[in-house]
Amino acid sequence: MIRVRAPATTANLGPGFDTLGMALELYLQVEAEFGGSGIEIVFSGVRDRSIMESPQENLLYKAMNFVFKQAEYRHTGLYIEIDNDIPIGKGLGSSAAAIVAGMFTANRLIGDRFLPAELLRWAVKMEGHADNIVPSITGGLAVAMIYAGEVYYQQVRPGNQLGVVVAVPDFVLPTEQSRSVLPQNVALQATVSNLQRACFFLASIQNGDFSNLDKAMDDMVYQPWRKAFIPGFDQVLQSALAAGARGAALSGAGPSILAFTAIGQEQDIGQAMEKAFNEAGVRVQVLYLKPDLQGVQYY
Ligand code: HSE
């Protein structure tokens, strides 16, 4: 039996649209082996559209199948068990985790025919967003760069002083819908501000100096458009900061909102975010997490 786990991720982190992503200690786990006839998929944990019973619609199986095809490997029977704790359609990289877990599982099943770098390239192509795929593979905070169609990345380790609180609304915001409202062109001043903030954010994380993370995470490019989908967005951000959060932003394409906290302040911040969301008529689940530093793992 092959066992793989891939972490959830939070993309963008404010100013790093399609560039920055961080892995979180929240996982999709898979167990798989060849055997029997046909494909049997068994689930536990969260389940819905990206993780469906039929192999044709199951994203994790699609990713496995992609690897089998590249290897020209034909199996006669496959048993897959999926245990997923990552909320789906909430901006926490559930699709990326499914693709990463699927590809790494399939590769191990066929004797590690491909290098992780090759799986990473395919996974980015299948998912479309390197800022979720890369950290799910590497762990930590990842900077993804697409240059002439190729993916390049650097990993930064966030250290152990950062807590992560995520308020997960009870509605789904599909990434396509969340991207459909974004402008095609961005003004130079907003671009420069985001560049400054993204670089400042990275340097702050690397130096462990979180004193101006709130300013660094204040995006000018996509949050102003996306927040229309999220009742109470500004109030939730403000409540998190007022309760002591170091910085806060929309998580990935939303609708979840993420706040960085100093260790020990998580509960106050989580409660403040929940209250602000509730006042806007949105029910939420609050997750208290840490950055994941390992990325995809065989276990
Ligand atoms: N960077 C992407 C976006 C992440 O914000 O649309 C999608 O999960």
Side-chain angles (χ1 to χ4, degrees), residues 175-217:
T175 300
E176 314 78 62
Q177 190 183 346
S178 186
R179 292 182 83 89
S180 70
V181 295
L182 301 183
Q184 288 304 307
N185 299 299
V186 177
L188 182 65
Q189 187 49 50
T191 310
V192 171
S193 296
N194 262 43
L195 263 174
Q196 294 175 346
R197 294 171 198 191
C199 295
F200 196 98
F201 174 85
L202 261 185
S204 302
I205 295 289
Q206 197 141 34
N207 294 339
D209 173 0
F210 309 133
S211 46
N212 288 301
L213 218 49
D214 56 334
K215 299 172 191 68
M217 289 178 74

XYZ file of all heavy atoms in Angstrom, residues 175-217:
329
model
N -13.036 29.276 -8.276
C -11.904 30.102 -8.712
C -12.219 30.842 -10.021
O -11.892 32.026 -10.156
C -10.645 29.221 -8.877
O -10.359 28.624 -7.609
C -9.440 30.031 -9.309
N -12.900 30.157 -10.957
C -13.198 30.805 -12.242
C -14.049 32.049 -12.015
O -13.844 33.095 -12.648
C -13.978 29.866 -13.203
C -13.445 28.443 -13.315
C -13.843 27.576 -12.118
O -15.042 27.369 -11.912
O -12.934 27.120 -11.394
N -15.026 31.935 -11.121
C -15.906 33.074 -10.830
C -15.096 34.196 -10.176
O -15.236 35.374 -10.531
C -17.021 32.617 -9.890
C -18.118 33.622 -9.715
C -19.167 33.147 -8.707
O -19.208 31.969 -8.344
N -20.008 34.061 -8.264
N -14.214 33.817 -9.277
C -13.423 34.802 -8.541
C -12.416 35.500 -9.466
O -12.034 36.644 -9.230
C -12.704 34.080 -7.401
O -12.043 34.971 -6.579
N -11.984 34.820 -10.520
C -11.045 35.432 -11.473
C -11.775 36.251 -12.528
O -11.196 37.153 -13.136
C -10.180 34.368 -12.163
C -9.196 33.691 -11.223
C -8.325 32.670 -11.938
N -7.173 33.241 -12.600
C -5.965 33.428 -12.047
N -5.750 33.074 -10.806
N -4.979 33.950 -12.741
N -13.077 35.924 -12.745
C -13.799 36.565 -13.849
C -13.991 38.070 -13.630
O -14.210 38.805 -14.584
C -15.158 35.886 -14.044
O -15.986 36.197 -12.942
N -13.908 38.535 -12.389
C -14.146 39.962 -12.123
C -12.853 40.791 -12.152
O -12.893 42.007 -11.963
C -14.814 40.185 -10.742
C -16.204 39.587 -10.716
C -13.956 39.613 -9.613
N -11.726 40.135 -12.368
C -10.457 40.867 -12.298
C -10.219 41.675 -13.567
O -10.551 41.227 -14.667
C -9.295 39.881 -12.084
C -9.415 39.033 -10.820
C -8.190 38.144 -10.659
C -9.610 39.897 -9.584
N -9.636 42.855 -13.429
C -9.388 43.693 -14.607
C -8.263 43.108 -15.468
O -7.384 42.421 -14.945
C -8.952 45.032 -14.003
C -8.413 44.683 -12.662
C -9.155 43.484 -12.184
N -8.297 43.380 -16.752
C -7.240 42.911 -17.655
C -5.969 43.740 -17.497
O -4.869 43.256 -17.723
C -7.712 42.964 -19.113
C -8.735 41.904 -19.462
C -8.242 40.497 -19.155
O -7.167 40.094 -19.597
N -9.000 39.765 -18.347
N -6.153 44.996 -17.139
C -4.998 45.886 -16.988
C -4.989 46.491 -15.599
O -6.042 46.763 -15.029
C -5.063 47.021 -18.023
C -5.023 46.463 -19.434
O -4.054 45.816 -19.818
N -6.085 46.683 -20.182
N -3.784 46.701 -15.092
C -3.638 47.264 -13.750
C -2.808 48.536 -13.859
O -1.806 48.572 -14.588
C -2.942 46.251 -12.817
C -2.719 46.836 -11.441
C -3.766 44.972 -12.724
N -3.222 49.574 -13.137
C -2.516 50.859 -13.197
C -1.092 50.713 -12.647
O -0.838 49.883 -11.760
C -3.282 51.899 -12.396
N -0.184 51.522 -13.167
C 1.227 51.450 -12.766
C 1.385 51.632 -11.254
O 2.142 50.907 -10.613
C 2.041 52.496 -13.525
C 3.535 52.485 -13.214
C 4.185 51.188 -13.658
C 4.224 53.676 -13.890
N 0.640 52.604 -10.675
C 0.807 52.876 -9.249
C 0.428 51.657 -8.395
O 1.124 51.318 -7.430
C -0.021 54.106 -8.837
C 0.219 54.554 -7.408
C 1.724 54.673 -7.065
O 2.475 55.301 -7.802
N 2.150 54.045 -5.977
N -0.671 50.961 -8.784
C -1.086 49.761 -8.043
C -0.045 48.660 -8.216
O 0.267 47.925 -7.269
C -2.452 49.296 -8.528
N 0.520 48.557 -9.421
C 1.537 47.532 -9.684
C 2.777 47.771 -8.825
O 3.314 46.837 -8.212
C 1.943 47.552 -11.180
O 0.757 47.525 -11.955
C 2.821 46.390 -11.544
N 3.202 49.033 -8.779
C 4.392 49.372 -7.989
C 4.131 49.106 -6.500
O 4.965 48.508 -5.806
C 4.802 50.853 -8.224
C 5.888 51.282 -7.250
C 5.271 51.032 -9.662
N 2.943 49.505 -6.027
C 2.615 49.270 -4.607
C 2.660 47.776 -4.295
O 3.214 47.355 -3.270
C 1.220 49.810 -4.284
O 1.216 51.201 -4.451
N 2.066 46.969 -5.180
C 2.068 45.526 -4.917
C 3.467 44.932 -4.945
O 3.797 44.059 -4.148
C 1.161 44.796 -5.913
C -0.199 44.513 -5.306
O -0.760 45.382 -4.641
N -0.719 43.324 -5.505
N 4.294 45.426 -5.882
C 5.683 44.948 -5.958
C 6.407 45.225 -4.652
O 7.083 44.357 -4.086
C 6.426 45.696 -7.064
C 6.528 45.037 -8.412
C 7.178 45.995 -9.401
C 7.350 43.758 -8.298
N 6.270 46.473 -4.182
C 6.921 46.857 -2.921
C 6.432 45.970 -1.780
O 7.225 45.465 -0.972
C 6.606 48.321 -2.585
C 7.214 49.304 -3.564
C 6.775 50.743 -3.275
O 5.836 50.995 -2.522
N 7.450 51.693 -3.896
N 5.110 45.770 -1.736
C 4.531 45.026 -0.614
C 4.908 43.539 -0.676
O 5.177 42.923 0.366
C 3.008 45.215 -0.604
C 2.661 46.658 -0.297
C 1.196 46.995 -0.475
N 1.053 48.449 -0.572
C -0.088 49.095 -0.528
N -1.230 48.442 -0.411
N -0.121 50.420 -0.627
N 4.908 42.968 -1.877
C 5.248 41.547 -2.000
C 6.694 41.308 -1.566
O 6.993 40.350 -0.835
C 5.035 41.072 -3.438
N 7.595 42.191 -1.992
C 9.007 42.047 -1.603
C 9.161 42.266 -0.102
O 9.890 41.540 0.577
C 9.887 43.031 -2.371
S 9.899 42.704 -4.135
N 8.436 43.243 0.415
C 8.502 43.556 1.854
C 7.968 42.367 2.664
O 8.540 41.996 3.702
C 7.676 44.816 2.136
C 7.980 45.446 3.462
C 8.842 46.530 3.545
C 7.407 44.964 4.631
C 9.131 47.115 4.773
C 7.686 45.540 5.859
C 8.556 46.619 5.929
N 6.888 41.771 2.176
C 6.293 40.605 2.852
C 7.318 39.476 2.948
O 7.543 38.903 4.017
C 5.049 40.144 2.073
C 4.456 38.867 2.594
C 3.552 38.892 3.654
C 4.803 37.639 2.046
C 3.009 37.711 4.153
C 4.259 36.458 2.538
C 3.368 36.492 3.592
N 7.944 39.179 1.816
C 8.931 38.085 1.785
C 10.084 38.341 2.738
O 10.501 37.455 3.491
C 9.517 37.975 0.380
C 8.958 36.910 -0.529
C 9.744 36.898 -1.816
C 9.007 35.537 0.146
N 10.593 39.568 2.691
C 11.720 39.915 3.560
C 11.303 39.836 5.027
O 12.074 39.380 5.880
C 12.237 41.307 3.213
N 10.071 40.256 5.336
C 9.582 40.208 6.719
C 9.530 38.767 7.215
O 9.919 38.466 8.342
C 8.176 40.808 6.823
O 8.172 42.131 6.370
N 9.033 37.874 6.359
C 8.922 36.469 6.763
C 10.321 35.891 6.953
O 10.597 35.180 7.926
C 8.137 35.656 5.690
C 6.692 36.144 5.589
C 8.200 34.149 5.983
C 5.789 35.819 6.737
N 11.202 36.214 6.025
C 12.556 35.671 6.096
C 13.297 36.173 7.349
O 14.008 35.423 7.999
C 13.336 36.064 4.851
C 14.570 35.227 4.642
C 14.776 34.906 3.177
O 14.448 35.729 2.326
N 15.298 33.747 2.877
N 13.079 37.440 7.695
C 13.765 38.020 8.859
C 13.023 37.776 10.164
O 13.528 38.136 11.226
C 13.932 39.539 8.670
C 14.861 39.851 7.509
O 15.653 39.008 7.100
N 14.768 41.055 6.977
N 11.805 37.228 10.074
C 11.011 37.023 11.294
C 10.585 38.339 11.931
O 10.345 38.415 13.125
N 10.492 39.385 11.124
C 10.061 40.699 11.627
C 8.665 40.982 11.064
O 8.515 41.333 9.899
C 11.062 41.764 11.157
C 10.591 43.173 11.504
O 9.501 43.328 12.097
O 11.312 44.124 11.158
N 7.653 40.806 11.917
C 6.269 40.897 11.425
C 5.643 42.255 11.717
O 4.432 42.416 11.661
C 5.415 39.787 12.062
C 6.035 38.423 11.928
C 6.116 37.561 13.002
C 6.553 38.006 10.711
C 6.708 36.303 12.866
C 7.144 36.761 10.564
C 7.225 35.910 11.653
N 6.469 43.260 12.065
C 5.908 44.514 12.560
C 5.067 45.266 11.525
O 4.163 45.990 11.905
C 7.014 45.409 13.128
O 8.106 45.445 12.250
N 5.365 45.102 10.239
C 4.551 45.824 9.240
C 3.905 44.881 8.219
O 3.605 45.282 7.089
C 5.411 46.869 8.530
C 5.720 48.030 9.458
O 4.812 48.689 9.954
N 6.994 48.248 9.737
N 3.670 43.642 8.690
C 3.075 42.643 7.793
C 1.681 43.068 7.336
O 1.256 42.763 6.221
C 2.988 41.318 8.549
C 3.279 40.027 7.790
C 4.560 40.099 6.999
C 3.300 38.853 8.746
N 0.946 43.773 8.203
C -0.417 44.201 7.841
C -0.389 45.113 6.610
O -1.196 44.970 5.691
C -1.103 44.894 9.025
C -0.308 46.084 9.552
O 0.931 46.095 9.383
O -0.925 47.002 10.115
N 0.579 46.013 6.556
C 0.682 46.925 5.401
C 1.156 46.146 4.177
O 0.658 46.321 3.066
C 1.655 48.063 5.708
C 1.211 48.904 6.896
C 2.290 49.897 7.306
C 1.962 50.555 8.640
N 2.022 49.624 9.800
N 2.117 45.260 4.397
C 2.666 44.490 3.277
C 1.612 43.584 2.643
O 1.685 43.264 1.463
C 3.856 43.659 3.750
N 0.612 43.160 3.434
C -0.394 42.235 2.906
C -1.615 42.938 2.318
O -2.578 42.296 1.918
C -0.823 41.251 4.003
C 0.279 40.257 4.332
S -0.176 39.122 5.653
C -1.333 38.030 4.814
